[in-house]
Amino acid sequence: MSSASFLPAASRARGRRRPSLRRLAAWLAASASDRKAAPWLVIGFATAHAVLWTFILINLKAAQDVHMDVAEAFAWGQKFQLGYGKHPPLTGWVAGLWFQMFPVADWAAYALAMATLGCGLVICWLIALRVVDYRRAFFVVVLLALYPIFNFKGFKYNPDLLQLVTLPLVVLAYLHAFEQRTARSGLWLGLAGALALMTKYWVLTMIGAVGLAALIHPDRLKFLRSPAPWVAMAVATLAMIPHLMWLTEVDFVPLTYAGDVYGLSSRAQSAQLVLGYVGHNLALLAVPVTLAGLALGWMSWLRPSAALARIWSRGANAGVNRSQALNIWIIQIVVAVGPPLGGLFFTVYMKTDWGISLFFLTPLALVAIPALRLHKIALFRIAAIWLLLSLATLVASPYIAAGEMAESPNAASSYGARSQLARELTQEWHLRFHSRWAVVAGTTEVGEPMTFYSADHPAPFTPGEVWSSGLTSLEEARRLGFIGICDTSDGRLPVCEAWMAANGKDAEQVAITTQRFFRGHPGPAISWKIYIVPP
């Protein structure tokens, strides 16, 4: 009898598993490092992440309607314009194209958000390849997939989320132009900058950081003496001319919107918001950084100082392009420090979500430290952590959704049944007029969900909003007829009622109450004052 037969069955099973795991780890490292296989590995990973997290979000948000920002982007996409009052047009254009291919449903909205993030992951991998070797680049991609911005907090498609495609494109084009220093590379940089500016003006923070990196980098004169930066600026300006003309025509309403909504008078309040912004984003970044430390061996991955100096002196041999790594470090430091300081100095209302688009370079900035030793097994560990956490979240997601609703059953903003209201109002309009419901009047929190959930997709009109989206007008609403909605639980109810009384004198008034039930948990019962104005 062989000696192996005396081993316990569990020990023999572990022995069989270890070679299998080693082979899997070796295959993953080989695929991530192979020039031909790596693109397919990354695209496959990004696709798997997007699909898996689409299903997770469907479960997590099953008790809720889509977020107001998502409904607003859908509404913008119903009419392709050069701007939508609050923001430049790219968010609406993308949503419009997406929902021409997919049904107007919650799952498609979450799929749009995750498809956006999946594209961002692939672009970030292309950025990483200009800074680090293939193995490190794949590690960066998986770290980003573990960053809560690319999963839990990526549930709402809006301009902030779309920046995770357009801003990586800017950085990628800049790194390419910095290396090539040709007119063609400047052309791509200019187009990328214009595309980013068509997403949200907040991208000026990243564009400014790229400009500072170009001025601070030791090789700045090589870049500045080339045609690349000057062609980029010229192309970006030319590409923005149609939007700039629109801005002039609407009297710069997006800037009015920003000043009215985000301007502050109290420096103490500004300081409090800035601290909240910094703390929130540091907490989010702590997740991938901690998990990276786990995958790399509990943070015991830095060489002694003498070895560190030797590796730094030959950074390229350590799998790092030292010149491009310096660009990444400068850009990330500037966008990490600049906005909070600007918020304090100008007393700006700093929203925590403004950090969504500013820290996608952090994992790369850390992995690009030449002293970091990235063994093959680290790729397997980080991928396994991603898979286990994602699958665990998928299994737990229905219970998380039910638990959240049970804890906050009266959260009207989350669990108010606006989709139910949209269906009921569509039916009411058809019963009366046998025609399409064309216009809905109400606050953004109410009007845009009607546009999303009604089969007629009525154009939203927000009374008293000086930064109108331009999707319709009061004159058009009066001509086509409209349904006005006032939320009785909203503190702005008197203002809403006054506007309806002044602009819907022939309106039929109806009272409707909606309430959502999910897994036996009741949501808030919301009473709506409805004003049906005939065509």
Side-chain angles (χ1 to χ4, degrees):
M1 184 179 296
S2 66
S3 59
S5 63
F6 291 99
L7 292 174
S11 298
R12 293 198 300 272
R14 283 195 298 271
R16 287 192 297 269
R17 284 198 298 268
R18 284 170 185 163
S20 298
L21 291 178
R22 284 197 294 269
R23 284 196 295 270
L24 182 58
W27 171 85
L28 183 63
S31 299
S33 302
D34 184 80
R35 291 179 178 271
K36 293 183 178 179
W40 296 108
L41 176 66
V42 172
I43 292 171
F45 175 80
T47 303
H49 178 78
V51 171
L52 186 55
W53 273 91
T54 295
F55 283 105
I56 291 172
L57 292 176
I58 290 170
N59 290 336
L60 280 176
K61 303 298 179 180
Q64 306 175 28
D65 292 329
V66 296
H67 192 273
M68 179 193 72
D69 287 358
V70 179
E72 185 175 52
F74 170 80
W76 292 343
Q78 299 306 291
K79 189 175 181 181
F80 285 71
Q81 301 181 149
L82 290 173
Y84 295 102
K86 294 180 181 178
H87 295 297
L90 190 61
T91 304
W93 293 354
V94 172
L97 292 173
W98 179 267
F99 286 106
Q100 286 181 11
M101 298 183 291
F102 293 91
V104 185
D106 291 25
W107 71 264
Y110 298 128
L112 170 58
M114 296 315 302
T116 301
L117 293 175
C119 290
L121 288 176
V122 175
I123 298 169
C124 287
W125 176 73
L126 294 173
I127 293 172
L129 287 181
R130 294 189 172 273
V131 182
V132 296
D133 59 29
Y134 276 79
R135 185 190 301 177
R136 293 178 186 233
F138 183 71
F139 192 85
V140 168
V141 170
V142 184
L143 278 188
L144 282 172
L146 291 165
Y147 181 30
I149 295 300
F150 281 78
N151 42 72
F152 280 107
K153 286 186 69 65
F155 71 94
K156 55 181 178 181
Y157 170 79
N158 61 11
D160 292 321
L161 199 73
L162 188 58
Q163 287 176 87
L164 288 172
V165 171
T166 55
L167 287 185
L169 281 174
V170 169
V171 174
L172 178 62
Y174 166 68
L175 296 182
H176 176 67
F178 196 85
E179 281 184 348
Q180 300 298 317
R181 299 191 292 275
T182 62
R184 178 178 292 183
S185 65
L187 170 66
W188 292 119
L189 178 56
L191 291 175
L195 196 67
L197 285 167
M198 294 287 275
T199 309
K200 189 176 181 179
Y201 303 134
W202 179 247
V203 303
L204 287 169
T205 55
M206 182 67 73
I207 292 175
V210 167
L212 285 174
L215 294 174
I216 294 172
H217 198 283
D219 293 332
R220 56 187 174 273
L221 292 181
K222 293 180 181 179
F223 181 62
L224 295 175
R225 287 171 179 168
S226 76
W230 314 110
V231 170
M233 286 188 281
V235 169
T237 302
L238 288 172
M240 289 296 294
I241 285 176
H243 180 67
L244 293 173
M245 292 174 64
W246 173 85
L247 270 178
T248 304
E249 290 173 1
V250 298
D251 199 22
F252 299 92
V253 289
L255 304 183
T256 303
Y257 163 73
D260 289 352
V261 175
Y262 301 115
L264 284 175
S265 58
S266 169
R267 192 166 296 277
Q269 185 182 4
S270 176
Q272 184 178 3
L273 289 168
V274 167
L275 287 175
Y277 168 90
V278 172
H280 179 81
N281 286 289
L282 285 177
L284 293 176
L285 287 170
V287 176
V289 171
T290 301
L291 294 176
L294 180 63
L296 291 165
W298 292 105
M299 312 301 274
S300 60
W301 35 272
L302 288 179
R303 300 177 182 231
S305 57
L308 175 61
R310 289 196 301 272
I311 293 173
W312 176 253
S313 66
R314 57 179 194 275
N317 296 330
V320 177
N321 181 329
R322 179 178 176 181
S323 176
Q324 294 287 40
L326 185 57
N327 270 319
I328 294 299
W329 293 328
I330 294 172
I331 293 170
Q332 186 57 86
I333 290 171
V334 171
V335 295
V337 176
L341 292 180
L344 284 174
F345 184 79
F346 295 106
T347 62
V348 173
Y349 187 102
M350 289 289 293
K351 289 182 65 176
T352 55
D353 278 359
W354 288 358
I356 283 177
S357 61
L358 297 186
F359 296 97
F360 65 89
L361 291 175
T362 300
L364 175 57
L366 296 176
V367 172
I369 297 174
L372 183 142
R373 302 177 65 181
L374 185 63
H375 297 292
K376 294 179 180 179
I377 193 63
L379 292 185
F380 176 77
R381 288 173 184 161
I382 200 67
I385 290 170
W386 167 83
L387 182 60
L388 290 174
L389 289 179
S390 298
L391 291 176
T393 307
L394 178 63
V395 172
S397 54
Y399 306 100
I400 295 173
E404 287 180 344
M405 189 171 183
E407 290 180 6
S408 306
N410 296 316
S413 60
S414 297
Y415 303 113
R418 290 170 175 80
S419 55
Q420 178 186 343
L421 177 64
R423 290 188 290 269
E424 291 191 24
L425 291 181
T426 305
Q427 184 178 8
E428 293 290 338
W429 183 272
H430 288 180
L431 287 173
R432 286 165 175 77
F433 308 114
H434 307 287
S435 63
R436 174 180 172 269
W437 173 20
V439 180
V440 56
T443 62
T444 303
E445 294 86 351
V446 175
E448 269 70 2
M450 300 302 107
T451 304
F452 185 88
Y453 284 108
S454 170
D456 289 341
H457 308 306
F461 178 79
T462 307
E465 189 175 67
V466 295
W467 47 84
S468 170
S469 64
L471 298 175
T472 188
S473 63
L474 181 57
E475 292 73 20
E476 188 174 57
R478 287 170 174 167
R479 179 173 59 85
L480 299 175
F482 65 90
I483 296 181
I485 306 172
C486 293
D487 182 353
T488 60
S489 64
D490 192 335
R492 296 165 289 182
L493 178 62
V495 176
C496 182
E497 290 178 320
W499 188 91
M500 296 298 173
N503 295 277
K505 296 178 180 178
D506 299 327
E508 175 188 353
Q509 296 189 32
V510 179
I512 294 179
T513 300
T514 60
Q515 186 174 25
R516 180 192 304 275
F517 292 86
F518 178 74
R519 292 180 175 266
H521 301 291
I526 301 179
S527 297
W528 311 90
K529 285 190 172 183
I530 307 301
Y531 300 79
I532 303 177
V533 179

